[in-house]
Amino acid sequence: MFSLSTMQPRQILTQVLNFALILSTAFMLWKGLSVATDSPSPIVVVLSGSMEPAFQRGDILLLWNRGLETKIGEVVVYNVKGKDIPIVHRVVRRFGGGNTPVKLLTKGDNNLADDTELYARGQSYLDRPQDVIGSVVGYIPFVGYVTILLSEHPWLKTVMLGLMGVMVVIQRE
């Protein structure tokens, strides 16, 4: 039977370093995507049904924020001042452009009204450069349900991280 005490200190250190390498690689890939897409969050998960039928809950969206020319009908992801959860909705009205900053009004495809109620107090439109994280350029259906499960059940996140750590430590090369 395998036990941690039978491993040499060098083997334990190798496994811990392998685990650290995996985490740092994931972090570097995320930061690289952020730089390439010019978005602080280049990949987001749809958390609600407000964009059905275009996007379902659990879909992963790929964002692009290079080039600020946003058109009516384009799906954008934005943050509301004072809230941490990004919102995925379609642009229904556009103001400005040229020398004036672009202002956007958005609405979920499955919602009856526009998003003015979701915006920060006193805000009646989105400022494209400040509020928008990126425009949706692609999606992967339902893969994001893992993220939703982990956020809705925090104990599951602890179990999953623990299992990953144990697997890395007990794995023999």
Side-chain angles (χ1 to χ4, degrees):
M1 185 166 148
F2 175 79
S3 80
L4 196 58
S5 61
T6 62
M7 289 181 73
Q8 299 295 324
R10 188 179 195 123
Q11 288 176 312
I12 294 172
L13 182 61
T14 300
Q15 297 302 346
V16 169
L17 288 175
N18 281 340
F19 187 62
L21 181 64
I22 290 168
L23 291 178
S24 63
T25 301
F27 179 74
M28 287 188 301
L29 285 172
W30 181 262
K31 286 300 180 185
L33 271 174
S34 293
V35 169
T37 61
D38 193 28
S39 175
S41 185
I43 299 171
V44 296
V45 176
V46 177
L47 299 175
S48 74
S50 67
M51 280 302 292
E52 290 179 358
F55 302 113
Q56 307 293 320
R57 188 169 189 251
D59 289 354
I60 288 184
L61 304 179
L62 310 170
L63 305 183
W64 187 259
N65 202 28
R66 299 227 177 249
L68 302 176
E69 193 61 36
T70 305
K71 297 176 177 60
I72 293 175
E74 190 172 323
V75 178
V76 296
V77 178
Y78 65 91
N79 271 336
V80 175
K81 294 172 182 81
K83 297 180 183 173
D84 287 338
I85 298 173
I87 299 173
V88 181
H89 283 172
R90 192 175 304 277
V91 175
V92 293
R93 189 169 282 161
R94 181 175 188 245
F95 307 96
N99 293 335
T100 59
V102 174
K103 309 289 184 188
L104 306 171
L105 181 64
T106 56
K107 176 186 172 296
D109 289 357
N110 204 19
N111 294 350
L112 297 175
D114 62 37
D115 291 348
T116 51
E117 294 294 321
L118 296 176
Y119 300 157
R121 185 180 302 269
Q123 185 179 12
S124 54
Y125 51 81
L126 296 174
D127 185 18
R128 174 62 172 98
Q130 288 180 346
D131 298 324
V132 176
I133 298 172
S135 298
V136 176
V137 293
Y139 75 103
I140 304 168
F142 303 114
V143 177
Y145 256 110
V146 173
T147 304
I148 292 172
L149 286 173
L150 292 175
S151 64
E152 289 180 354
H153 306 288
W155 61 269
L156 194 58
K157 188 184 305 184
T158 306
V159 168
M160 191 169 142
L161 284 173
L163 285 173
M164 287 172 52
V166 167
M167 294 302 289
V168 167
V169 169
I170 66 172
Q171 174 189 358
R172 293 190 178 228
E173 292 182 9

